[in-house]
Amino acid sequence: MSTVIWVVVIAVAVVAIIAVGYFMTGQQRRRRLRDRFGPEYDRAVRERESRQEAEQELLAREQRFSSLDIRPLDPGTRDAYARKWTEVQERFVDAPGFAVTEADHLVTSVMAERGYPTDDFQQRLSDLSVEHGRTLDHYRQAHEISNRAARTEASTEELRQAMVHYRVLFEELLSTGGPDGDRPAPHAGTDRAETAHDGHSRPDRADAAAEDRIDRHETRGR
């Protein structure tokens, strides 16, 4: 072959190798993001114009998260918050709407204690998604019900569901042991929560246990 042909062959081979490398890198990044964000990855893809745009958004969330001073709770603080949650849950029997509002404030308080910025709700969701993507839809649903409860537009059953949703994230925030990259075992059953076709999480065993506790409080209050 002439020198020109050899140059062309080598150039094509180099381009092919670069293309394969780029493809493999993209696939590895996609698998990593799927693993880390769980259902939030699919939500981001649905809400953006392209998968690439969604992945860039998730990478930006990771970068922001790495700049935050997220820290675990010390044992004393964790126990104090657990007691506060028990008190809120017991108040649900006589004042469900008030209890749900308290639960919302308590979750926000734990977030602030852990080092999460809490001024803007959408930013809270974005920051939480990096470490709590598998339970974040619980928080969305609970917050939406809480807002309707403030306008007295939520039924008692919806308020009960809000308490269950809040508890899933609350317990995970209490049990998480470290910041970026240090990911301890979540609340039992939480990691297996399924996501329905409409994007909402289906109740799992963690939800069922929380519902049972609230039901028992309601029964004792009658």
Side-chain angles (χ1 to χ4, degrees), residues 26-44:
Q27 290 297 101
Q28 291 173 355
R29 180 184 63 190
R30 184 162 302 166
R31 283 195 296 270
R32 185 184 66 78
L33 290 173
R34 280 184 178 277
D35 180 63
R36 181 161 207 180
F37 286 91
E40 287 301 304
Y41 177 92
D42 295 326
R43 175 183 284 273

Side-chain angles (χ1 to χ4, degrees), residues 4-54:
V4 174
I5 295 177
W6 273 112
V7 170
V8 171
V9 170
I10 292 172
V12 170
V14 170
V15 170
I17 291 171
I18 292 174
V20 170
Y22 180 81
F23 175 78
M24 295 301 296
T25 300
Q27 290 297 101
Q28 291 173 355
R29 180 184 63 190
R30 184 162 302 166
R31 283 195 296 270
R32 185 184 66 78
L33 290 173
R34 280 184 178 277
D35 180 63
R36 181 161 207 180
F37 286 91
E40 287 301 304
Y41 177 92
D42 295 326
R43 175 183 284 273
V45 171
R46 290 195 303 270
E47 293 179 348
R48 300 299 183 277
E49 294 185 359
S50 68
R51 187 178 299 273
Q52 183 177 8
E53 184 180 338

Side-chain angles (χ1 to χ4, degrees), residues 111-176:
M111 287 181 59
E113 191 84 38
R114 292 282 315 277
Y116 286 95
T118 58
D119 292 338
D120 179 74
F121 178 68
Q122 291 303 320
Q123 189 61 59
R124 271 182 261 166
L125 293 176
S126 178
D127 293 336
L128 283 169
S129 69
V130 179
E131 288 292 305
H132 303 280
R134 298 184 184 280
T135 56
L136 195 55
D137 201 49
H138 288 283
Y139 186 39
R140 282 193 184 89
Q141 294 180 63
H143 189 76
E144 191 273 331
I145 294 172
S146 180
N147 286 340
R148 288 195 288 111
R151 303 189 298 269
T152 65
E153 296 175 357
S155 67
T156 301
E157 173 59 23
E158 288 174 321
L159 295 173
R160 188 175 70 87
Q161 287 297 321
M163 292 293 291
V164 171
H165 289 312
Y166 275 129
R167 187 184 182 104
V168 174
L169 178 60
F170 180 80
E171 290 192 343
E172 191 168 289
L173 286 168
L174 256 61
S175 67
T176 297

